Amino acid sequence: CIHPINLLTLYSEGMKSRHWCIPWLTNSSLLAWTTLICLLSAVSSFSITSMDFPPPKDYSHLIFETKEDNTKWFHERGPLWQGQAFSLQIKEVLYHQKSLFQDVIVFDSVHHGKVLVLDGVIQCTERDEFSYQEMMAHIPLYAHPDPKKVLVIGGGDGGVLREIARHPGVEEIVICELDKDVIDVSKKYLPFMAKGFDDPRVTVNIMDGAKFMEENQSSFDVIITDSSDPVGPACVLFETPFYKAMHGSLREGGIICTQGECVWLHVDLIQPLVKAIIPLFTTVEYAYCTIPSYPSGQIGFIIASKGGKGCKVPTRTPEASVQKELRYYTPDIHQASFVLPAFAERAIFGCER
């Protein structure tokens, strides 16, 4: 949930919240920058705070009023889903300011409840956010036999924290979010998600997650990366020190879960990520969930383990009281989420089906 302070930050911090907006770069200059970063990352840890970037762009133009009936709409368009768009009718704009890193909008919609938008892209809606938050958290947590210490990178809206807090056996929950404004805005306007910050096990760090992991080796049972999409050539993000830092910060038997894009739109990004992670981790798998307010109504997860037998089958199941509160995750859908359409399995894993 961060605007690109620099390209390495967003490449290295993996792939949520579904958008990576760099309005001041052309396609050719983006290619040049990403190539440079690939070279830099191969030889050093390259501080993500070493480069200053222009202030965030304003996205007011995505809010418009129709002439026919004077209704107000938010119209989402993005470079990772060119040729298609998604619109929500606005009841009231509750907040629109720029943080140090990005343009932040919160509005109350007619049919989707409260909506958080970062740099012009919908991060969550009150109507369907639970599907992403539950699967992002519970797949790795229920795949692990006894998670005690969990790290979240990004996730400043608090939704993933809310789901982790449902696990009584977890003793410590650490979050690294670079943009404090996202946390503050979510606490004020999205309390149904931000209540995750209220759990006493949660420790908040306003800092770069890659740096934190490098300083905390072999420390976590589960690491969940909930951050922005890459744009442009994908190979560079697979060579950055970030993924090695994730592996290094895991305890033996640990599991990572990162946002894995959309199989209908981004197999060209997913496949190189999977290929790059395979040498680092014992198992690398791909799961997905449906969520209507994300492009093409689907988003995936890269699930990788350091030791163990994989994550397709949960080793634990929710208590009955917890399961009644969940609206998407079940042990059955945990297993089903790893069953990919033939085209996706061929493209991502090279399987002949």
Side-chain angles (χ1 to χ4, degrees):
C1 293
I2 56 175
H3 184 277
I5 303 179
N6 56 56
L7 296 179
L8 182 58
T9 301
L10 288 189
Y11 268 122
S12 65
E13 290 208 352
M15 299 169 67
K16 162 184 178 238
S17 304
R18 312 182 307 87
H19 181 62
W20 196 37
C21 181
I22 311 177
W24 49 278
L25 287 179
T26 63
N27 289 337
S28 60
S29 61
L30 177 57
L31 176 59
W33 269 98
T34 52
T35 301
L36 174 61
I37 289 171
C38 185
L39 294 173
L40 287 169
S41 65
V43 297
S44 71
S45 60
F46 193 64
S47 171
I48 68 162
T49 60
S50 63
M51 302 177 69
D52 293 325
F53 283 77
K57 181 180 177 181
D58 182 80
Y59 286 86
S60 298
H61 63 284
L62 297 180
I63 298 175
F64 66 95
E65 190 169 308
T66 62
K67 295 181 181 179
E68 294 80 5
D69 55 8
N70 295 319
T71 56
K72 188 176 290 187
W73 294 79
F74 175 80
H75 188 64
E76 179 190 61
R77 301 188 302 273
L80 282 181
W81 46 94
Q82 295 183 14
Q84 66 184 64
F86 181 69
S87 297
L88 290 176
Q89 188 176 352
I90 297 172
K91 184 184 297 183
E92 180 185 4
V93 176
L94 303 174
Y95 180 91
H96 187 191
Q97 299 288 335
K98 292 184 182 67
S99 72
L100 292 174
F101 312 122
Q102 58 198 338
D103 186 82
V104 182
I105 300 173
V106 180
F107 65 88
D108 192 8
S109 66
V110 173
H111 296 296
H112 286 69
K114 305 293 192 304
V115 181
L116 173 65
V117 180
L118 300 180
D119 277 346
V121 174
I122 294 169
Q123 306 300 300
C124 58
T125 80
E126 190 170 1
R127 180 178 181 179
D128 61 12
E129 54 83 15
F130 61 88
S131 67
Y132 175 82
Q133 315 296 341
E134 290 185 15
M135 294 294 277
M136 173 69 88
H138 298 313
I139 288 178
L141 285 168
Y142 282 119
H144 195 289
D146 189 25
K148 296 297 184 184
K149 194 172 180 181
V150 181
L151 173 64
V152 179
I153 308 295
D157 52 41
V160 169
L161 295 179
R162 178 193 66 200
E163 298 307 318
I164 297 171
R166 298 187 193 276
H167 292 255
V170 172
E171 297 173 353
E172 186 175 353
I173 308 168
V174 180
I175 179 171
C176 291
E177 167 63 60
L178 203 56
D179 194 343
K180 185 177 182 295
D181 283 14
V182 173
I183 296 176
D184 294 340
V185 168
S186 297
K187 286 181 176 180
K188 182 173 182 178
Y189 297 104
L190 310 172
F192 54 94
M193 296 176 69
K195 65 182 181 180
F197 287 100
D198 297 335
D199 192 282
R201 295 169 290 176
V202 173
T203 301
V204 179
N205 297 280
I206 307 300
M207 65 177 295
D208 167 49
K211 184 175 186 296
F212 179 85
M213 287 188 293
E214 289 171 359
E215 296 171 351
N216 292 270
Q217 296 289 287
S218 301
S219 298
F220 296 96
D221 299 303
V222 173
I223 299 174
I224 298 171
T225 301
D226 182 14
S227 55
S228 301
D229 297 337
V231 167
C235 67
V236 294
L237 74 93
F238 310 140
E239 301 299 328
T240 66
F242 180 77
Y243 296 98
K244 291 182 180 179
M246 283 212 296
H247 183 272
S249 193
L250 276 181
R251 293 170 174 167
E252 190 63 30
I255 298 169
I256 69 162
C257 179
T258 67
Q259 189 267 103
E261 299 297 341
C262 174
V263 298
W264 295 103
L265 300 169
H266 306 130
V267 289
D268 58 330
L269 299 178
I270 299 166
Q271 191 275 338
L273 174 58
V274 169
K275 183 178 180 180
I277 288 177
I278 284 174
L280 293 175
F281 294 91
T282 307
T283 64
V284 178
E285 297 158 323
Y286 187 89
Y288 70 95
C289 72
T290 61
I291 177 166
S293 62
Y294 282 4
S296 294
Q298 180 269 337
I299 197 164
F301 312 97
I302 306 293
I303 317 290
S305 66
K306 184 178 180 178
K309 299 180 180 180
C311 304
K312 291 183 179 181
V313 179
T315 62
R316 302 178 298 114
T317 58
E319 296 290 336
S321 59
V322 173
Q323 187 62 72
K324 287 180 180 179
E325 296 176 349
L326 299 178
R327 294 187 284 170
Y328 194 97
Y329 180 89
T330 66
D332 287 340
I333 207 159
H334 179 129
Q335 296 184 65
S337 68
F338 289 90
V339 180
L340 305 180
F343 80 90
E345 188 164 346
R346 291 189 197 113
I348 297 170
F349 295 103
C351 299
E352 293 298 330
R353 288 286 179 99

